[in-house]
């Protein structure tokens, strides 16, 4: 009997905010159940650390230069084949509920699904609008709970049917601006969350891109991110706008000698500060408090789905996967966002349970990436993996029989687009089990039309074992010239394999390296 496949994808859920990964900052008993009864995978990486491209890679099993969904602004062409279409044609009942974020309208809406209900764009936390095949309507309630109930309803209706089912449950949470359900108002009180060791990172010994990115907790969050009332008035009173055409203003960073007073939107409580560091840490605590509270409702939802499988006798023959569309910075390096190939936003949580084949309590550090997901679904469904897909089935990795020729290398490419909000520069690179090589080519618009931002391209090389927080760039260290050359060769081979176009000239890079060494 072919297995059912349930794929639960959250938005911006860092593995550090899942207790099974051991960071100790929160407790997610239901997600942890997948690790206890299945596998916790520790080396799943995203091909492009941002929502829309990651979702396209998952659906199509291809890298973003192939599926053409390179940025938030490039929506999927839904005439392309995707894994849901293959599963549906192969005898599966298919459904998707929640966040789609691959575009709207007849050219971009979900295809390959028997049933679908998706939120427009990012979706709302409360009383969210949903788009159904027959039209759009708002549903009262909390987005996470609504998406959970739609998913449970699908399972209950499909249980015992003639066809196995494939369901994608795509939560909107815990994406910015972290509106939590009041049932979690009393957990993770601000002030109780440990500060990451790299919160005060000064970005020395790194590419310039790290320093210029506008993703800092201390200076780049807006009032609603933190549940604070935005003051009325101009920039001199209320701080700079987030971007020119939005009404949202950033909560200003405090300079020495200044004071500030902010108002909690929920309670009306007023907080005053005269110490810049205390104010930065206050923001971190409010950010994390809100983030972790939204995560808790997702954990409830996972519990509901697992309980439904138990009640229906489907646990043994259903593959349940929990992951996120990328990682996320939870204050590491002083940041709160994603986009970068640095480890915290690059690594995706990946937990999978399939009692019929995957040993309970297993872990793995074999490198995988999100283009491998679609081939994995098809493999378990007993269907051929189409030759256009660029990933490889993770089945051996998950069952403890990793093939000897498994490629322990992940590729990442982030294309810059009109992103005045975050100022994250374009880069690509590879990571193997120890080393990470990143090339910051720094286009503003990348493949949409080069517009160099004036910054010189830079390389970064990190020893992920000795320097897990990636604080020391070894790219110009003569002692690591050999490693640099090896990783450059791996990058070139990977780009040739997947057909991506390089912005660097390896011969020139190696000649310069020889001159320096
Ligand atoms: Ca995301």
């Amino acid at each position: 009997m072919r297995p059912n496949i349930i794929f639960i994808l959250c938005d911006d859920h860092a593995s550090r905010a899942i207790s099974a990964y051991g960071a100790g900052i929160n407790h997610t008993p239901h997600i942890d159940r997948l690790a206890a009864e299945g596998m916790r995978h520790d080396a799943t990486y995203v091909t492009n650390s941002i929502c829309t491209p990651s979702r396209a890679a998952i659906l199509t099993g291809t890298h973003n230069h192939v599926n053409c969904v390179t940025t938030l602004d490039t929506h999927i062409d839904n005439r392309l084949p995707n894994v849901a279409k293959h599963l549906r044609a192969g005898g599966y009942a298919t459904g998707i509920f929640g966040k789609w974020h691959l575009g709207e309208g007849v050219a971009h809406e979900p295809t390959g699904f028997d049933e679908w209900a998706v939120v427009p764009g990012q979706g709302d936390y409360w009383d969210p609008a949903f788009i159904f095949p027959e039209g759009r309507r708002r549903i009262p309630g909390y987005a996470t709970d609504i998406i959970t109930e739609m998913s449970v309803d699908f399972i209950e209706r499909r249980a015992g049917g003639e066809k196995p089912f494939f369901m994608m449950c795509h939560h909107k949470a815990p994406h910015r601006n972290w509106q939590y359900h009041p049932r979690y108002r009393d957990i993770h009180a601000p002030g109780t969350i440990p500060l990451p060791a790299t919160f005060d990172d000064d970005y020395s010994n790194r590419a310039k891109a790290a320093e210029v990115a506008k993703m800092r907790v201390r200076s780049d969050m807006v009032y609603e991110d933190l549940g604070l009332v935005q003051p009325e008035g101009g920039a001199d009173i209320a701080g700079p706008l987030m971007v020119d055409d939005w009404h949202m203003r950033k909560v200003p960073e405090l300079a020495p000698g200044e004071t500030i007073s902010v108002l909690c939107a929920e309670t009306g409580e007023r907080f005053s500060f005269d110490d810049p560091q205390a104010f930065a840490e206050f923001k971190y605590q409010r950010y994390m408090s809100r983030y972790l509270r939204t995560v808790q409702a997702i954990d409830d939802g996972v519990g509901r789905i697992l309980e439904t499988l138990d009640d229906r006798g489907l646990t043994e023959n259903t593959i349940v996967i929990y992951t996120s569309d990328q990682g996320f910075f939870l204050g590491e390096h002083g940041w709160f966002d994603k986009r970068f190939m640095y480890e915290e936003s690059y690594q995706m949580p990946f937990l999978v349970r399939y009692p019929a084949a995957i040993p309970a309590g297993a872990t793995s550090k074999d490198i995988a990436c999100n283009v491998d997901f679609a081939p994995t679904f098809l493999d378990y469904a007993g269907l051929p993996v189409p030759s256009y897909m660029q990933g490889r089935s993770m089945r051996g990795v998950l069952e403890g029989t990793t093939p000897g020729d498994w490629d322990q290398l992940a590729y990442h490419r982030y294309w810059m687009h009109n992103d005045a909000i975050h100022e994250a520069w374009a880069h690509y690179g590879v990571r193997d089990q120890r080393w990470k090589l990143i090339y910051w080519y720094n286009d503003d618009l990348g493949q949409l039309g080069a517009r160099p931002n004036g910054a010189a391209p830079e390389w970064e090389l990190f020893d992920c074992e000795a320097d897990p927080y990636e604080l020391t760039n070894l790219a110009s260290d003569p002692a690591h010239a050999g490693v640099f050359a090896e990783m450059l060769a791996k990058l070139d081979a990977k780009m040739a394999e997947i057909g991506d176009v390089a912005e660097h000239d390896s011969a020139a890079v190696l000649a310069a390296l020889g001159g320096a060494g």
Side-chain angles (χ1 to χ4, degrees), residues 143-439:
T144 303
D145 297 342
I146 294 168
I147 293 164
T148 293
E149 291 313 312
M150 284 178 168
S151 303
V152 166
D153 178 59
F154 177 87
I155 296 168
E156 296 203 319
R157 283 185 291 103
R158 298 290 175 169
E162 284 182 13
K163 294 178 175 182
F165 62 80
F166 170 66
M167 182 187 71
M168 304 183 96
C169 167
H170 285 197
H171 285 295
K172 180 260 183 308
H175 190 281
R176 190 179 199 172
N177 55 14
W178 310 296
Q179 295 180 37
Y180 54 86
H181 193 284
R183 69 178 180 268
Y184 290 120
R185 187 177 283 147
D186 296 328
I187 63 167
H188 300 300
T192 63
I193 302 152
L195 202 65
T198 57
F199 184 72
D200 295 316
D201 195 347
D202 64 2
Y203 315 107
S204 56
N205 306 313
R206 245 73 51 74
K208 193 170 192 299
E211 184 192 331
V212 302
K214 293 178 182 168
M215 312 194 301
R216 296 192 201 180
V217 173
R218 66 173 63 235
S219 53
D220 298 311
M221 306 194 92
V222 299
Y223 285 90
E224 69 172 28
D225 286 334
L226 301 175
L228 299 172
V229 177
Q230 178 175 300
E232 293 186 349
D236 55 333
I237 298 166
L241 285 166
M242 187 182 187
V243 284
D244 280 349
D245 54 349
W246 286 13
H247 67 282
M248 286 184 284
R249 294 188 184 273
K250 292 181 176 183
V251 188
E253 185 176 2
L254 206 55
E258 287 180 345
T259 58
I260 192 164
S261 179
V262 291
L263 196 63
C264 175
E266 188 181 30
T267 64
E269 197 176 353
R270 185 168 284 284
F271 304 93
S272 300
F273 295 88
D274 58 10
D275 175 50
Q277 184 67 17
F279 191 45
E281 293 184 17
F282 165 82
K283 292 181 187 178
Y284 166 78
Q285 292 291 338
R286 285 194 71 87
Y287 154 46
M288 286 298 294
S289 169
R290 292 166 64 80
Y291 181 97
L292 294 173
R293 288 169 181 173
T294 66
V295 165
Q296 218 60 40
I298 293 169
D299 190 62
D300 289 348
V302 173
R304 276 280 289 142
I305 286 174
L306 298 183
E307 180 186 35
T308 304
L309 294 176
D310 289 341
D311 291 347
R312 294 281 174 164
L314 296 173
T315 299
E316 193 68 17
N317 196 43
T318 300
I319 298 170
V320 182
I321 293 168
Y322 184 91
T323 184
S324 168
D325 58 348
Q326 2 74 205
F328 209 68
F329 294 104
L330 301 180
E332 300 93 350
H333 308 287
W335 289 326
F336 64 91
D337 204 82
K338 56 237 183 186
R339 291 156 219 281
F340 283 163
M341 201 184 158
Y342 298 130
E343 202 69 4
E344 295 86 353
S345 62
Y346 187 30
Q347 189 216 336
M348 310 165 79
F350 190 90
L351 305 125
V352 53
R353 184 186 75 178
Y354 180 32
I358 299 173
T363 61
S364 172
K365 293 185 189 304
D366 291 321
I367 287 183
C369 77
N370 56 343
V371 295
D372 298 327
F373 296 176
T376 306
F377 303 156
L378 293 171
D379 190 2
Y380 275 112
L383 295 170
V385 178
S387 61
Y388 75 82
M389 288 193 178
Q390 298 179 299
R392 185 172 178 184
S393 169
M394 294 166 69
R395 188 169 186 164
V397 170
L398 304 182
E399 297 183 6
T401 56
T402 303
D405 63 345
W406 185 257
D407 189 11
Q408 300 283 3
L409 192 78
Y411 176 73
H412 179 272
R413 183 164 188 167
Y414 177 84
W415 280 266
M416 179 71 180
H417 41 297
N418 289 314
D419 182 12
I421 302 176
H422 306 91
E423 288 253 7
W425 288 356
H427 61 286
Y428 55 72
V430 284
R431 188 212 201 281
D432 69 12
Q433 289 186 306
R434 176 160 181 193
W435 304 97
K436 184 184 288 183
L437 181 70
I438 308 176
Y439 183 56

Side-chain angles (χ1 to χ4, degrees), residues 10-12 50-52 55 99 175 324-327 338:
C10 287
D11 194 350
D12 296 356
I50 192 165
C51 303
T52 305
R55 289 153 198 272
K99 184 169 168 183
H175 190 281
S324 168
D325 58 348
Q326 2 74 205
K338 56 237 183 186

Side-chain angles (χ1 to χ4, degrees), residues 58-120:
I58 289 167
L59 267 182
T60 64
T62 60
H63 288 272
N64 297 130
H65 64 282
V66 172
N67 59 50
C68 297
V69 183
T70 51
T71 72
L72 294 178
D73 304 327
T74 47
H75 295 153
I76 200 162
D77 179 341
N78 64 10
R79 295 168 298 185
L80 289 171
N82 68 41
V83 72
K85 292 182 186 181
H86 298 305
L87 288 164
R88 191 184 193 190
Y92 272 70
T94 56
I96 182 169
F97 307 99
K99 184 169 168 183
W100 172 247
H101 208 200
L102 285 164
E104 292 162 30
V106 289
H108 308 296
E109 67 190 21
T111 49
F113 297 95
D114 296 313
E115 298 182 34
W116 55 272
V118 296
V119 297

